[in-house]
């Protein structure tokens, strides 16, 4: 089994290294990841600047390729020429922090996986619920197990899938079974942060993400709060299918 592994925290992130170490025990893993942190870059592609690919030579990242671009750039380049083969699965993560509810729209971790999915390849995004890499070993073990289980069901020619997995920061023994969930919703983000720089100019920082607004039963928030690993199958089609009839009836103009 051949896996393309990427992330959005950058090629030196502990979550990427930990997952690589687990996956390589049963798969042929190629790592192509951003040079720097690219969190919240979604599916962004770099069209106005050249991209450079470098090989990491030393330490635990030796053999990783890194690119001065976004997560989606990494997967896009890999699948359009860099790899030279079609991987069986695109895996992204493990991310430093949750990607639940509305986060998935902004997430570079999900963006990397989604790029694989758009190329017709099964793809998985992994995130730890809390930042800081607490209990990373347990998360990497569960993530690798999830990849193994998903890959066991792969059949040639079947429709690809895109799944989003969030793992609570718990020791392996406390980590409960995986539940298939829907995305919850967050409240709107916190207020913008205003500061003055040393030259007296006002600068702004985007505020933190809001707390869960819909964290009800069946959601990713609810499952991970209870210590379960959450697995949400994602769609990319943004069409509001349930609204098509109403929009046609609304005016009668566009039927
Ligand atoms: Mn990130």
């Amino acid at each position: 089994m051949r896996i393309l592994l990427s992330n959005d925290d950058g090629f030196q992130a502990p979550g990427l290294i930990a997952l690589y170490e687990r996956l390589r025990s049963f798969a042929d893993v190629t790592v192509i990841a951003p040079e720097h942190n690219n969190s919240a870059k979604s599916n962004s592609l770099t069209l106005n600047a050249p991209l450079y690919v470098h090989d990491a030579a030393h330490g635990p990242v030796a053999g990783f390729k890194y690119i001065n671009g976004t997560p989606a750039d990494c997967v896009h380049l890999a699948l359009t020429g860099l790899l030279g083969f079609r991987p069986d699965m695109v895996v992204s993560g493990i991310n430093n922090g949750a990607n639940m509810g509305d986060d998935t729209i902004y997430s570079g971790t999900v963006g990397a996986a989604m790029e694989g999915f758009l190329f017709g390849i099964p793809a998985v995004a992994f995130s730890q619920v809390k930042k800081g890499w607490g209990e990373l070993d347990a998360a990497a073990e569960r993530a690798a197990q999830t990849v193994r289980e998903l890959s066991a069901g792969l059949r040639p020619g079947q429709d690809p899938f895109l799944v989003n997995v969030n793992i609570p920061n718990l020791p392996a023994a406390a980590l409960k079974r995986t539940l298939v969930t829907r995305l919850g919703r967050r409240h709107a983000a916190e207020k913008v942060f205003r500061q003055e720089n040393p030259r007296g100019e006002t600068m702004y920082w985007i505020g933190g993400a809001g707390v869960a607004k819909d964290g009800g039963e069946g959601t990713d928030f609810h499952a991970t709060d209870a210590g379960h690993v959450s697995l949400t199958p994602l769609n990319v089609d943004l069409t509001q299918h349930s609204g098509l009839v109403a929009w046609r009836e609304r005016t009668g103009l566009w039927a």
Side-chain angles (χ1 to χ4, degrees):
M1 167 168 181
R2 293 189 290 197
I3 292 174
L4 170 63
L5 177 62
S6 193
N7 77 342
D8 79 354
D9 296 323
F11 77 103
Q12 301 189 80
L16 178 72
I17 296 167
L19 185 51
Y20 170 72
E21 292 299 335
R22 295 281 181 170
L23 293 178
R24 68 191 288 217
S25 70
F26 63 89
D28 181 357
V29 187
T30 305
V31 180
I32 306 182
E35 184 170 7
H36 301 294
N37 191 324
N38 270 262
S39 294
K41 286 287 168 71
S42 187
N43 288 65
S44 171
L45 289 177
T46 303
L47 302 179
N48 56 358
L51 295 168
Y52 298 92
V53 182
H54 292 282
D55 291 290
H58 305 290
V61 297
F64 290 12
K65 290 186 185 303
Y66 60 91
I67 297 179
N68 61 325
T70 65
D73 284 333
C74 293
V75 174
H76 193 98
L77 252 61
L79 299 179
T80 55
L82 215 53
L83 275 187
F85 61 87
R86 189 176 168 86
D88 301 298
M89 197 181 283
V90 173
V91 178
S92 179
I94 301 170
N95 186 59
N96 185 21
N99 279 309
M100 301 193 287
D102 316 339
D103 303 339
T104 50
I105 300 291
Y106 301 94
S107 167
T109 306
V110 174
M114 197 180 287
E115 191 67 11
F117 175 74
L118 292 174
F119 277 81
I121 299 169
V124 197
F126 290 104
S127 305
Q128 275 195 295
V129 171
K130 284 190 207 134
K131 286 184 190 286
W133 311 116
E135 305 295 349
L136 179 57
D137 267 0
E141 183 188 353
R142 179 63 76 91
Q145 184 192 334
T146 303
V147 168
R148 247 191 334 255
E149 286 166 1
L150 289 170
S151 69
L154 289 180
R155 299 287 175 271
Q158 78 179 16
D159 286 342
F161 53 75
L162 174 60
V163 296
N164 181 45
V165 179
N166 283 274
I167 306 170
N169 302 59
L170 293 170
L175 213 45
K176 294 187 191 160
R177 68 189 175 82
T178 300
L179 298 181
V180 175
T181 57
R182 64 183 169 87
L183 298 180
R185 290 292 307 273
R186 283 192 192 276
H187 278 288
E190 289 163 25
K191 277 180 75 165
V192 67
F193 221 78
R194 217 178 255 105
Q195 286 181 319
E196 199 173 282
N197 78 5
R199 287 165 293 286
E201 298 158 326
T202 304
M203 51 188 188
Y204 297 89
W205 296 91
I206 301 267
V211 296
K213 172 183 172 188
D214 173 10
E217 197 158 354
T219 65
D220 42 9
F221 291 104
H222 193 269
T224 55
D225 274 351
H228 289 281
V229 173
S230 159
L231 184 152
T232 309
L234 299 182
N235 261 327
V236 178
D237 180 358
L238 295 178
T239 309
Q240 187 201 10
H241 290 278
S242 62
L244 289 177
V245 170
W247 274 95
R248 285 179 187 127
E249 284 170 352
R250 200 156 169 159
T251 64
L253 288 174
W254 307 314

